[in-house]
Amino acid sequence: MELTVLGYYGGYPDHGVGTSAYLVRSGDYQLLMDCGSGALLALEKYGDPLALDAVLLTHYHHDHAADLGVLQYYYQLHPGTKKMSPLPVYGHTKDPLNFAALTFGSFTQGVGYTADSTLTLGPLRLTFLETAHPVPAFAVRIEELATGQVLVNTSDTRAFAGLAPFAADCDLLMADTNFLAEHQPPMWHLTSTQAGTLAAAAGAGRLLLTHLPQTVDLAQLQAEAQVAAGAIPVRLATAGLRLSVAQ
Ligand SMILES: [Zn+2]
Ligand SMILES: [Zn+2]
């Protein structure tokens, strides 16, 4: 299983880099995980939008879903050349208006999930954990069935006790790391120290800091996370970064 970072900022795109969007590949299977601002341009650059098997949205904040509308137009305007028609778009059902918008004509089809869902998408098995965020949002645990490799994405969340067991023993942990250690509440994302602490508590193989802020020193963010993570390797998301989930 392989992860490609298409966009990694929280909130808004900055200097040519978009917000949350990731491509998960397992063999020929391709899952777009979140579809933030700039996702379609990055997907054209680092992949092929028409080669997607499915899209998964962790929640409906714009920095995770802004490009879904233009992806839907892209599918409308490329008749006959795509792998999936309609393209399934998985989203939670706690927000009926946003969930309804996942379906667009015969081009994309919304498919609901809940905290209790276990989805088998091609070679992948997905489970979910509702996070602590101002709107319903879900962390996702993706297991590649053939290899047992596990990728966990916290999505957007503040720190809470359920995250570590959900991420237990994953090979690669993607953590919403939007704040330096010194950040004071209220907060709806992890700090650098909390991301590192989570990786250590979960026994993660590696930690990828993502959903990054635009205005802080990222070297400091990484260093703070590394102190908390101990021996677990920590790195920052970068545009186009392609990582094998295998350790
Ligand atoms: Zn976000
Ligand atoms: Zn959010």
Side-chain angles (χ1 to χ4, degrees):
M1 182 161 47
E2 221 181 53
L3 174 73
T4 302
V5 176
L6 301 176
Y8 58 78
Y9 279 124
Y12 57 90
D14 192 53
H15 290 84
V17 177
T19 63
S20 297
Y22 310 93
L23 190 59
V24 179
R25 289 188 176 102
S26 171
D28 290 338
Y29 191 89
Q30 300 196 29
L31 172 67
L32 178 63
M33 181 162 59
D34 281 340
C35 190
S37 176
L40 186 55
L41 282 170
L43 195 53
E44 289 172 344
K45 187 172 180 182
Y46 301 114
D48 176 1
L50 298 176
L52 295 176
D53 289 274
V55 179
L56 172 78
L57 299 183
T58 62
H59 64 306
Y60 301 123
H61 272 156
H62 297 306
D63 54 327
H64 299 253
D67 264 18
L68 181 64
V70 288
L71 181 66
Q72 289 170 327
Y73 292 158
Y74 195 93
Y75 269 65
Q76 180 181 26
L77 297 170
H78 286 81
T81 55
K82 53 222 168 203
K83 191 170 176 186
M84 292 297 292
S85 184
L87 177 68
V89 182
Y90 292 84
H92 72 72
T93 51
K94 287 191 148 191
D95 177 340
L97 272 181
N98 277 308
F99 177 71
L102 305 184
T103 298
F104 177 61
S106 61
F107 310 107
T108 66
Q109 177 63 52
V111 187
Y113 67 77
T114 68
D116 298 327
S117 296
T118 297
L119 302 179
T120 301
L121 304 188
L124 308 174
R125 181 165 59 210
L126 278 63
T127 50
F128 301 91
L129 175 71
E130 186 162 4
T131 71
H133 202 51
V135 299
F138 291 82
V140 56
R141 182 179 176 101
I142 303 177
E143 179 182 354
E144 186 177 43
L145 294 168
T147 62
Q149 292 169 19
V150 174
L151 170 68
V152 171
N153 177 5
T154 67
S155 185
D156 287 9
T157 187
R158 66 169 166 75
F160 69 100
L163 279 172
F166 182 72
D169 301 322
C170 66
D171 296 288
L172 179 61
L173 174 63
M174 305 163 58
D176 162 16
T177 314
N178 208 238
F179 300 126
L180 292 172
E182 66 197 10
H183 189 85
Q184 295 299 310
M187 57 185 158
W188 296 104
H189 303 281
L190 303 178
T191 68
S192 53
T193 300
Q194 288 170 338
T197 301
L198 172 62
R206 285 166 297 147
L207 173 61
L208 179 69
L209 308 180
T210 192
H211 203 273
L212 299 176
Q214 294 84 353
T215 55
V216 309
D217 178 357
L218 294 182
Q220 181 183 347
L221 190 90
Q222 181 179 8
E224 291 171 351
Q226 186 66 72
V227 168
I232 297 168
V234 178
R235 69 185 299 170
L236 294 165
T238 54
L241 176 67
R242 200 163 163 167
L243 291 175
S244 171
V245 173
Q247 295 184 56

